[in-house]
Structures are given as structure tokens and as C-alpha cells.
């Protein structure tokens, strides 16, 4: 056949797996599919050329882990660049040659360059995939570590509420942690740090079933305004008959339009002193079981989710609250829960400054740390 220069050929826009290369094979044939060439070079030796992933110890902090992974990624990418520089075909031959003659020196040189370039390409793709995979694993590890540490005193990562709710609506529960938070500045100028307290905690609950993906959030510290249950010391009629539902609605109306847009009204069982009843609430105090996992001073009619919310399991770090925004700078404050006391007719239950369940006269001004459901 007539000899042609590479400069005479049309540039290929892409290489497909069905394209044929002029390469002599062991069986004597002098052409091979690109797919077959790739399969032939995917050897264990190529796989093992990826960089070693760094050792991560249980004592490593998140910044240390991130630093190790960042250094590993930089080393891997540097290796890719070096490999590309040394292995890529720099230019095609300008002289005439016979691509079907295995003894032609130009053909042999081009053959070696093509194989070298394919090897480099394969190695580069594998390293880049490992970099990507371990980057995702590192991010997931950081989220799971935050979630596991939350109840032991670790305070999570800050979110923009819209970004957080995008994950919630998608059901991407593994992309944020219990204990993560967002900061709300309400229309009165009060800052409130809302922590993720539960994920889908009320799913399928209620006499009207809640089916929307949702989170339960609660303020890290008590709201600035204190409230009483009743003007006199009585717990007759329990939660529903008290001033507290209206008090909390007063607070909800101060929230920004954006936060109120995510708030969800749920159907909730409430303790009404010796009985319970369903009520529709978009903001409410936690029942004793949701907070501390047991009845405390309440009777058996306490309602809520009937389980302790995840943020409060395992320790008191998020149960003890300050007297307003920024717990580290505020005095500890006792606060109300949703249950009337079982033992007498004048008390409602609360959580005290020492880390224990308590009960207080209904006319006392106490802290409130209400729950809201966002979906």
C-alpha cells in the first residue's frame, strides 16, 4: 500500500473502543481494537502504581485527617503530571513510514509511544478515581464522626438553612449530622442557634400521618424571653389548657419568613393531666421522654414521639442550656418540658440546672427551648 505521513491524516475527534490500531500481536495479526489494547494493559502492576493512602488513626482530629488526605492528593496529582510529561506522544513522525512493517524503525518507535501513552492514561484515570473516591469517604467519615460525638459535648458544623433543607428534602441523611446547626436572627434581633435534634423522628406518626422527610431542631440555649405555664399555680387541663401553646406561637411569629416557610405543623399527643389528646402544633415543648428518655415527674400520659431524640442520647451536653444565645458565655438555666407533674396539682415538669429532671410551680417564669419540625 502507498505510504502516508501522519500530517496527511485527518485528526480523530475521539477514540472509540471499536477503533482499529496497526499493532502486531502475538498471533501474527497486525491490527488490534482499541478496546482489546486497553484490556491487555489493565494488569496488577498498573493498579499498584497508585499512591499509598495515608494511615488514619482514631486519635486524628478532622483537620489532621483533612491535611493527610490533601497531601496525598497533591502527591498523586503531581505523579500524574510527571507521568503525562514523560509518557505522552510529543509529536507524530514527519517522515514517511510503513505502519504495516514491524521492522520499520519509525513504526516501532510510534508503537512504543502509543503503548506508553495508553499505560499512562490508564494509570492516571485510576489514580484520579482513587482520589475522588477517598475524598467522598473522608467527607462521609467527618459527618459520621460529628454525629457520633454530638451527645458527648461536640457541637457540629454550621449550615445555611437552605442548603440543609435541600438535603432534608432529598432524604440525604448521610450528608449532615445530628448536632449540626444553623443560626436564626429573628425579627426582634434575637439570635437563636438551632441544632439538628432528630432526623425523620416523627415519620408516620400522628392520627394524621406525617410522611414528609423532616428534621426536628431545637435551640442550643433557652430563648431570651421566659414564660410561665399559668398565671396561678395550677396544672389542671395540662399542656393544652395552659398559656404555653400561645406563648410559643408568640415566639414563632418572630421567626424570619424563611424559617417559618420550612416549619411544619404536625399532629401530636399532649399530656393534659390524667389524659391525652391529639393537637396540631408547629412549635411545642419537648415531652420528658423525648428529652431524657423517661417520665421523670410526669405521669404515664406524656406524649410526643415516645422516644428520646438522638441529640440527647448518651450525655447531658445538649440538655443543659444557657440563658440565651451562646451557651459558653451564658449562665445555666432551667427550662420547662411539656408535662404536668403527676404528684400534685400545681407543678409542671422541667429540666434543672444540675442536669436532672425537675418540677416547678406553674406560675414561675422559666426558660423555654421548644422543638420545631422542618420539611
Amino acid at each position: 500500500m502507498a505510504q502516508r505521513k501522519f500530517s496527511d491524516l485527518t485528526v480523530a475527534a475521539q477514540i472509540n473502543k471499536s477503533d482499529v490500531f496497526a499493532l502486531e500481536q502475538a498471533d501474527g495479526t497486525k491490527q488490534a481494537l482499541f478496546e482489546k489494547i486497553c484490556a491487555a494493559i489493565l494488569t496488577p502492576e498498573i493498579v499498584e502504581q497508585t499512591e499509598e493512602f495515608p494511615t488514619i488513626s482514631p486519635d486524628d482530629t478532622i483537620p489532621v485527617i483533612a491535611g493527610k488526605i490533601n497531601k496525598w492528593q497533591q502527591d498523586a496529582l503531581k505523579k500524574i503530571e510527571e507521568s503525562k510529561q514523560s509518557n505522552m506522544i510529543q509529536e507524530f513522525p514527519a517522515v514517511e513510514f510503513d505502519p504495516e512493517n514491524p521492522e520499520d524503525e519509525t513504526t516501532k518507535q510510534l508503537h512504543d509511544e502509543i503503548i506508553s501513552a495508553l499505560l499512562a492514561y490508564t494509570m492516571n484515570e485510576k489514580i484520579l478515581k482513587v482520589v475522588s473516591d477517598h475524598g467522598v469517604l473522608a467527607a462521609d467519615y467527618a459527618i459520621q464522626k460529628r454525629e457520633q460525638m454530638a451527645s458527648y459535648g461536640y457541637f457540629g458544623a454550621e449550615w445555611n438553612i437552605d442548603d440543609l433543607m435541600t438535603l432534608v428534602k432529598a432524604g440525604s441523611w448521610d450528608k449532615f449530622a445530628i448536632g449540626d446547626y444553623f443560626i436564626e436572627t429573628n425579627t426582634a434581633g434575637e439570635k437563636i442557634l438551632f441544632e439538628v435534634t432528630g432526623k425523620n423522628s416523627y415519620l408516620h406518626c400522628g392520627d394524621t400521618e406525617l410522611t414528609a422527610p423532616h428534621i426536628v431542631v431545637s435551640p442550643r440555649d433557652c430563648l431570651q424571653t421566659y414564660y410561665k405555664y399559668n398565671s396561678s399555680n395550677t396544672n389542671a387541663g395540662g399542656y393544652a389548657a395552659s398559656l404555653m401553646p400561645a406563648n410559643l406561637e408568640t415566639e414563632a411569629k418572630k421567626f424570619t419568613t424563611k424559617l417559618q416557610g420550612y416549619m411544619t405543623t404536625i399532629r401530636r399527643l399532649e399530656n393534659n393531666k390524667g389524659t391525652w389528646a391529639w393537637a396540631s402544633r408547629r412549635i411545642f415543648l419537648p415531652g420528658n421522654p423525648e428529652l431524657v428518655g423517661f417520665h421523670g415527674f410526669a405521669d404515664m400520659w406524656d406524649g410526643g414521639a415516645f422516644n428520646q431524640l438522638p441529640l440527647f442520647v448518651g450525655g447531658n451536653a445538649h440538655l443543659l442550656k444557657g440563658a440565651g444565645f451562646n451557651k459558653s458565655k451564658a449562665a445555666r438555666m432551667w427550662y420547662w418540658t411539656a408535662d404536668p407533674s403527676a404528684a400534685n396539682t400545681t407543678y409542671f415538669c422541667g429540666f434543672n440546672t444540675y442536669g436532672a429532671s425537675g418540677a416547678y410551680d406553674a406560675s414561675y417564669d422559666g426558660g423555654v427551648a421548644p422543638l420545631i419540625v422542618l420539611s
Side-chain angles (χ1 to χ4, degrees), residues 16-63:
N16 299 312
K17 64 181 181 180
S18 59
D19 289 340
V20 177
F21 278 71
L23 297 173
E24 185 173 10
Q25 301 187 65
D27 61 2
T29 57
K30 296 182 179 181
Q31 62 182 26
L33 294 177
F34 182 67
E35 180 180 31
K36 189 172 182 180
I37 295 171
C38 292
I41 64 174
L42 291 177
T43 64
E45 288 73 26
I46 300 300
V47 176
E48 290 169 5
Q49 290 185 49
T50 57
E51 296 284 345
E52 283 289 325
F53 190 69
T55 300
I56 296 175
S57 67
D59 296 328
D60 283 346
T61 63
I62 294 300

Side-chain angles (χ1 to χ4, degrees), residues 188-336:
E190 177 185 355
K191 280 189 174 182
I192 308 167
L193 192 156
F194 280 105
E195 297 179 300
V196 177
T197 307
K199 302 176 182 179
N200 261 358
S201 298
Y202 299 112
L203 187 66
H204 304 310
C205 290
D207 57 346
T208 300
E209 182 182 9
L210 177 61
T211 59
H214 63 273
I215 53 174
V216 182
V217 299
S218 60
R220 180 176 294 178
D221 300 300
C222 295
L223 303 184
Q224 286 182 0
T225 304
Y226 298 162
Y227 288 102
K228 60 187 67 179
Y229 254 103
N230 287 310
S231 56
S232 61
N233 290 327
T234 177
N235 61 17
Y239 189 86
S242 74
L243 301 174
M244 195 58 71
N247 292 339
L248 297 186
E249 268 301 315
T250 297
E251 290 297 321
K253 290 174 182 176
K254 298 179 191 175
F255 295 158
T256 58
T257 302
K258 176 174 288 189
L259 178 55
Q260 290 194 56
Y262 288 122
M263 290 174 65
T264 302
T265 298
I266 68 169
R267 294 289 290 171
R268 178 175 173 83
L269 272 177
E270 293 177 341
N271 188 335
N272 293 333
K273 186 65 175 177
T275 187
W276 58 24
W278 290 103
S280 296
R281 306 290 184 203
R282 66 169 185 161
I283 183 170
F284 46 87
L285 295 183
N288 278 6
E290 293 171 307
L291 199 66
V292 294
F294 65 98
H295 299 291
F297 289 93
D299 57 24
M300 303 297 290
W301 298 97
D302 45 20
F306 301 103
N307 61 76
Q308 191 175 13
L309 293 167
L311 183 64
F312 305 133
V313 176
N316 278 10
H318 298 267
L319 285 166
L320 289 164
K321 299 184 180 296
F325 177 76
N326 197 341
K327 176 179 180 177
S328 63
K329 297 180 181 178
R332 291 186 296 177
M333 178 62 194
W334 70 269
Y335 56 95
W336 293 113

Side-chain angles (χ1 to χ4, degrees), residues 3-182:
Q3 295 180 345
R4 302 179 66 186
K5 296 180 181 180
F6 264 86
S7 57
D8 297 331
L9 301 177
T10 303
V11 176
Q14 63 182 19
I15 299 177
N16 299 312
K17 64 181 181 180
S18 59
D19 289 340
V20 177
F21 278 71
L23 297 173
E24 185 173 10
Q25 301 187 65
D27 61 2
T29 57
K30 296 182 179 181
Q31 62 182 26
L33 294 177
F34 182 67
E35 180 180 31
K36 189 172 182 180
I37 295 171
C38 292
I41 64 174
L42 291 177
T43 64
E45 288 73 26
I46 300 300
V47 176
E48 290 169 5
Q49 290 185 49
T50 57
E51 296 284 345
E52 283 289 325
F53 190 69
T55 300
I56 296 175
S57 67
D59 296 328
D60 283 346
T61 63
I62 294 300
V64 169
I65 293 170
K68 286 183 176 181
I69 292 173
N70 184 53
K71 177 63 168 59
W72 172 78
Q73 290 176 332
Q74 291 175 352
D75 291 345
L77 292 172
K78 182 179 179 182
K79 182 171 182 178
I80 290 173
E81 289 302 317
E82 291 173 351
S83 174
K84 286 165 69 177
Q85 291 298 322
S86 62
N87 290 293
M88 292 302 290
I89 300 173
Q90 302 301 317
E91 61 182 11
F92 288 106
V95 299
E96 294 183 354
F97 70 100
D98 183 1
E100 294 189 1
N101 181 5
E103 300 304 320
D104 187 301
E105 290 300 322
T106 304
T107 298
K108 288 194 290 186
Q109 179 183 352
L110 184 57
H111 171 278
D112 292 342
E113 289 183 355
I114 289 174
I115 292 299
S116 179
L118 289 172
L119 289 170
Y121 172 81
T122 302
M123 184 183 73
N124 296 345
E125 289 297 300
K126 286 184 174 294
I127 292 177
L128 287 172
K129 186 177 187 307
V130 172
V131 169
S132 175
D133 288 349
H134 280 93
V136 172
L137 287 173
D140 288 347
Y141 171 77
I143 293 167
Q144 293 306 312
K145 188 172 182 179
R146 290 204 307 272
E147 185 147 319
Q148 291 171 1
M149 293 172 61
S151 61
Y152 308 120
Y154 182 81
F155 300 112
E158 182 175 355
W159 284 87
N160 170 282
I161 187 172
D162 290 326
D163 293 339
L164 178 60
M165 292 309 300
T166 296
L167 296 176
V168 172
K169 290 181 178 184
S172 300
W173 307 116
D174 59 339
K175 300 306 180 185
F176 65 96
I178 296 293
D180 285 357
Y181 63 90
F182 63 89

